[in-house]
């Protein structure tokens, strides 16, 4: 109980509370003690890394797949006992504050992200060593945002121009003698966080039953390790549209608002990527279902002042019309 408090904190670099390549990361390590102590070492580290990991069962055997990549590692030694006896390694009784400053490397790195089987994190960690048996650690994460507006594997002009072009897809399914055709058209493929994705759905119902289209924003997380891949998909947002009567056609126009806290599309991490689709699903009673998907690229918007990101479950639910 000699060390009563040990923490590491950082100062916001901007009003949004985020950091990017080339930014200065400043903060302080705070040590509160009940008496004067001698430290072997007190240091602080800043690092960025990506890591993935999952298990797969094959009969009785379980295979573990994992990988990690370090984007940067910075270290600053605050106190160190070098047997000088000059008192520089002494921590006085009470509250002691030690400032530090790092410059984040100005290289391309992905934004902070946490998915089903992987995480991209940027952290500060302080370590206080009093003896070989007495080591204390503390750490905190800081939000990191890439400077790239288009964090894609391919940065060709065709892909960037294509984000602003109209996108469409059509699918026809036969259920016995019945035929159902669904066409979906979006005004553009790229939409920013917090903006509305405007699209229209045309349903040609050549069947004897009413059909109720359900509109989804569909998420696809892909993770890779040791030449293996695993995919996690999720319906993030959904909304039911009006029923389409038998032997009729109907065009539905909607605007699906993208949550401001939803992570943007990215491909600039070698171990994971995040994609989205606009999905239209129609269940045909006792016969089958029809799905049409259209690519959606969610782009980074000007971030709001930093706040804790709610758990993903808070994003789910039916949207109000």
């Amino acid at each position: 109980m000699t060390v009563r408090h040990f923490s590491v904190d950082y100062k916001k670099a901007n009003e949004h509370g985020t950091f990017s390549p080339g930014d200065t990361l400043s903060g302080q390590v705070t040590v509160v003690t009940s008496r004067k102590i001698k430290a072997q070492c007190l240091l602080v580290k800043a690092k960025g890394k990506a890591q993935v990991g999952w298990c797969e069962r094959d009969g009785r055997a379980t295979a573990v797949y994992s990988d990690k990549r370090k984007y940067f590692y910075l270290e600053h030694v605050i106190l160190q006992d070098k047997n000088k006896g000059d008192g520089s390694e002494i921590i006085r009784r009470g509250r002691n504050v030690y400032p530090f400053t790092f410059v984040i490397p100005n290289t391309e790195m992905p934004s902070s992200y946490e998915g089903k089987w992987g995480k991209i994190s940027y952290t500060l960690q302080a370590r206080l060593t009093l003896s070989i048996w007495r080591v204390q650690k503390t750490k905190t994460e800081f939000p990191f945002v890439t400077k790239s507006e288009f964090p894609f594997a391919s940065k060709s002009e065709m892909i960037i121009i294509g984000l602003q072009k109209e996108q469409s897809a059509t699918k026809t399914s036969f259920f016995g003698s019945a035929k159902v055709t669904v066409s979906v058209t979006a005004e553009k493929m790229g939409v920013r966080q917090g903006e509305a994705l405007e699209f229209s759905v045309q349903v040609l119902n050549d069947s004897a039953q009413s059909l109720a289209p359900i509109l989804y924003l569909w998420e696809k997380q892909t993770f890779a390790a040791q030449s293996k891949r695993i995919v996690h998909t999720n319906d993030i947002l959904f909304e039911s549209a009006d029923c389409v009567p038998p032997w009729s056609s109907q065009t539905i126009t909607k605007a699906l608002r993208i949550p401001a806290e939803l992570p943007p599309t990215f491909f600039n991490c070698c171990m994971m990527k995040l994609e989205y689709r606009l999905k239209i699903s129609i269940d045909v009673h006792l016969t089958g279902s029809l799905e049409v998907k259209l690519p959606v690229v969610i782009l980074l918007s000007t971030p709001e002042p930093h706040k804790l990101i709610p758990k993903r479950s808070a994003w789910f639910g039916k949207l109000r019309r």
Side-chain angles (χ1 to χ4, degrees):
M1 298 299 294
T2 302
V3 178
R4 294 184 173 180
H5 176 80
F6 185 43
S7 64
V8 58
D9 304 285
Y10 62 86
K11 300 176 183 178
K12 293 182 179 180
N14 51 56
E15 61 179 351
H16 310 300
T18 59
F19 294 86
S20 295
D23 283 352
T24 298
L25 175 62
S26 298
Q28 62 184 33
V29 177
T30 303
V31 185
V32 180
T33 67
S34 59
R35 61 180 177 83
K36 182 174 70 174
I37 59 175
K38 183 177 180 180
Q40 288 187 357
C41 185
L42 173 61
L43 60 82
V44 60
K45 299 180 288 186
K47 58 184 177 181
K49 67 177 181 179
Q51 55 186 358
V52 299
W54 72 91
C55 299
E56 293 183 7
R57 291 190 62 86
D58 184 8
R60 295 183 178 181
T62 300
V64 178
Y65 299 95
S66 64
D67 199 0
K68 62 182 178 180
R69 178 177 179 180
K70 186 180 297 182
Y71 293 112
F72 65 86
Y73 178 92
L74 306 171
E75 182 178 289
H76 172 60
V77 177
I78 299 173
L79 301 176
Q80 189 169 18
D81 180 9
K82 296 182 179 180
N83 299 318
K84 290 182 178 180
D86 59 3
S88 60
E89 73 281 6
I90 299 299
I91 299 178
R92 305 298 174 183
R93 179 179 179 272
R95 186 173 185 267
N96 300 267
V97 177
Y98 304 96
F100 63 83
T101 298
F102 295 114
V103 177
I104 300 174
N106 194 12
T107 58
E108 173 64 23
M109 292 176 282
S111 299
S112 302
Y113 174 73
E114 184 169 3
K116 180 70 173 179
W117 291 294
K119 182 177 183 179
I120 302 169
S121 61
Y122 297 85
T123 61
L124 280 170
Q125 180 178 318
R127 186 179 70 196
L128 172 62
T129 303
L130 301 179
S131 70
I132 191 173
W133 307 112
R134 299 169 64 195
V135 179
Q136 294 199 27
K137 296 180 181 180
T138 182
K139 73 175 182 177
T140 186
E141 291 191 15
F142 58 91
F144 185 86
V145 177
T146 180
K147 280 186 175 180
S148 174
E149 187 178 8
F150 306 103
F152 310 135
S154 172
K155 298 183 180 180
S156 68
E157 292 185 3
M158 292 302 295
I159 289 182
I160 297 175
I161 293 174
L163 297 177
Q164 305 301 321
K165 288 190 174 182
E166 183 179 271
Q167 306 292 319
S168 61
T170 301
K171 187 173 183 179
T172 300
S173 293
F174 294 88
F175 305 96
S177 59
K179 182 178 77 170
V180 178
T181 300
V182 176
S183 297
V184 56
T185 301
E187 65 170 8
K188 58 183 178 180
M189 182 169 61
V191 59
R192 295 191 179 276
Q193 296 165 310
E195 291 184 347
L197 173 64
E198 298 182 1
F199 61 96
S200 62
V201 180
Q202 184 179 44
V203 180
L204 179 59
N205 183 12
D206 288 333
S207 74
Q209 59 180 290
S210 294
L211 301 178
I214 303 179
L215 319 175
Y216 296 93
L217 180 62
W218 182 79
E219 174 193 53
K220 180 182 178 182
Q221 304 174 17
T222 304
F223 305 89
Q226 299 167 220
S227 302
K228 292 281 291 186
R229 288 199 323 154
I230 190 170
V231 173
H232 173 69
T233 61
N234 205 14
D235 294 325
I236 299 176
L237 304 172
F238 70 91
E239 181 178 2
S240 297
D242 295 333
C243 288
V244 181
W247 316 110
S248 68
S249 65
Q250 185 169 310
T251 299
I252 304 160
T253 301
K254 290 288 182 180
L256 192 65
R257 185 160 296 280
I258 305 300
E261 68 272 16
L262 199 64
T265 302
F266 70 86
F267 293 85
N268 60 342
C269 176
C270 61
M271 290 179 292
M272 64 189 86
K273 62 181 179 179
L274 178 64
E275 303 169 85
Y276 296 96
R277 300 285 189 274
L278 176 64
K279 182 176 74 173
I280 314 301
S281 178
I282 297 178
D283 288 328
V284 182
H285 184 58
L286 298 178
T287 53
S289 63
L290 183 153
E291 284 188 357
V292 181
K293 294 177 183 176
L294 197 64
V296 174
V297 175
I298 297 181
L299 302 171
L300 184 68
S301 66
T302 301
E304 297 294 327
H306 179 59
K307 57 184 178 180
L308 291 177
I309 298 176
K311 293 183 179 179
R312 190 172 297 272
S313 58
W315 303 340
F316 300 164
K318 188 173 181 179
L319 298 177
R320 294 180 180 178
R321 296 188 182 184

